[in-house]
Amino acid sequence: MLLQGAALTLAVPGAGLQQALAEGVDVGRNSVFTKLVPAETIEKSAAQQYAQMLQQAAAQNALAGKDNPQLRRLRSMAQKIIPHALGWNPRAANWRWEVNLIGSKQINAFCMPGGKIAFYTGILDQLKLTDDEAAMVMGHEIAHALREHARERMGKNAATGIGATLLSQVLGLGELGQTVTNYGAQLLTLQFSRSDESEADLVGMELAARSGFDPRAGVSLWQKMAVANKGAPPQWLSTHPAGTTRIADIEANLPKVLPLYSRARAG
């Protein structure tokens, strides 16, 4: 994250990528569609959109100052979680991570490509998140960035937009770059698939566990979410898995991450 203008330096514990692959959750490799668009293009677009969002929030006096207790709390969590990111994506070492808090009643948070994190006060205040629950949210959002779900979605859009003929030839990065630019406005409102959300739940849970946050908080988090989202459409009409499905997946994978949590707490 950027704290007073200085980029966070990542210190990767243990054996990094090999450690992540050897223990914890298994969600497979990143989608091949991520290779259809350059990561640098998407990360640059994300940085621009994030900066614009912060400017708009500041103009509305909705951007938390560096001494805000909730922002300090979030940045402290990020300092613990981010060092474990390289186990999932080596590119994270070069990201200029940022964590900001925006005053809004929205129950939402996100991490854009390149490590641009934002929480809305609504998710903290309305759900009354504990540190463990907030860390699960942060881990989930960071997981979307590490697994390059936005890049995957744009890769699929680019594949559709430029046609199979071009893809069967040597990829013309100029046209692909233009296609990504056209889809760039989606970054702040991008809808992930149910499989993306499920994957982010598991990877985020592992990130939180490795950072010393109790992964069992994922259960209470989604119980709170279920209460807050009463009246939401059933699973088959939504891009998000049903709360009961998420809880079941989390509980099924707890045995894989609880030892990581115990080790982190012991350390």
Side-chain angles (χ1 to χ4, degrees), residues 6-251:
L8 177 70
T9 300
L10 296 181
V12 183
L17 180 60
Q18 289 72 27
Q19 180 186 43
L21 293 175
E23 54 187 347
V25 302
D26 180 10
V27 293
R29 297 183 179 275
N30 285 20
S31 169
V32 294
F33 282 99
T34 61
K35 301 182 183 301
L36 296 183
V37 292
E40 295 82 359
T41 301
I42 293 178
E43 290 167 10
K44 181 179 179 181
S45 178
Q48 293 171 343
Q49 292 180 50
Y50 188 79
Q52 292 172 359
M53 181 196 68
L54 296 184
Q55 290 175 355
Q56 293 171 357
Q60 298 169 0
N61 293 319
L63 184 64
K66 64 180 181 180
D67 294 324
N68 179 285
Q70 290 280 47
L71 178 59
R72 291 168 65 98
R73 175 192 181 204
L74 292 173
R75 287 182 170 175
S76 176
M77 287 178 192
Q79 290 277 7
K80 297 175 182 178
I81 294 173
I82 291 171
H84 299 278
L86 279 184
W88 290 99
N89 190 331
R91 288 188 56 78
N94 298 319
W95 289 353
R96 293 179 64 80
W97 293 85
E98 296 187 54
V99 181
N100 284 285
L101 176 64
I102 296 173
S104 169
K105 293 182 179 179
Q106 291 186 59
I107 299 178
N108 199 14
F110 61 82
C111 178
M112 297 174 72
K116 307 302 185 185
I117 301 169
F119 270 66
Y120 293 103
T121 53
I123 195 170
L124 299 174
D125 298 339
Q126 295 185 49
L127 299 188
K128 295 179 170 48
L129 297 182
T130 65
D131 284 355
D132 291 322
E133 291 166 346
M136 288 289 292
V137 173
M138 184 175 289
H140 173 98
E141 300 305 332
I142 288 175
H144 277 308
L146 295 176
R147 297 292 290 173
E148 299 185 288
H149 289 155
R151 187 180 174 198
E152 174 188 352
R153 303 300 296 176
M154 291 186 180
K156 291 178 178 178
N157 289 340
T160 301
I162 65 179
T165 300
L166 181 58
L167 284 177
S168 67
Q169 304 168 1
V170 176
L171 292 176
L173 293 181
E175 290 195 48
L176 277 172
Q178 182 61 42
T179 304
V180 173
T181 300
N182 294 339
Y183 287 113
Q186 296 180 9
L187 284 172
L188 284 173
T189 57
L190 194 65
Q191 294 293 316
F192 297 120
S193 68
R194 287 199 294 269
S195 61
D196 289 342
E197 294 292 346
S198 296
E199 187 176 287
D201 281 347
L202 299 185
V203 174
M205 177 172 66
E206 179 177 313
L207 289 171
R210 288 187 184 278
S211 308
F213 296 101
D214 192 339
R216 290 168 292 197
V219 175
S220 58
L221 168 65
W222 287 109
Q223 289 172 338
K224 289 182 177 181
M225 282 286 196
V227 173
N229 289 313
K230 279 186 176 179
Q235 178 172 348
W236 58 88
L237 296 179
S238 172
T239 58
H240 286 246
T244 52
T245 300
R246 304 184 93 140
I247 289 173
D249 288 345
I250 288 170
E251 289 178 334

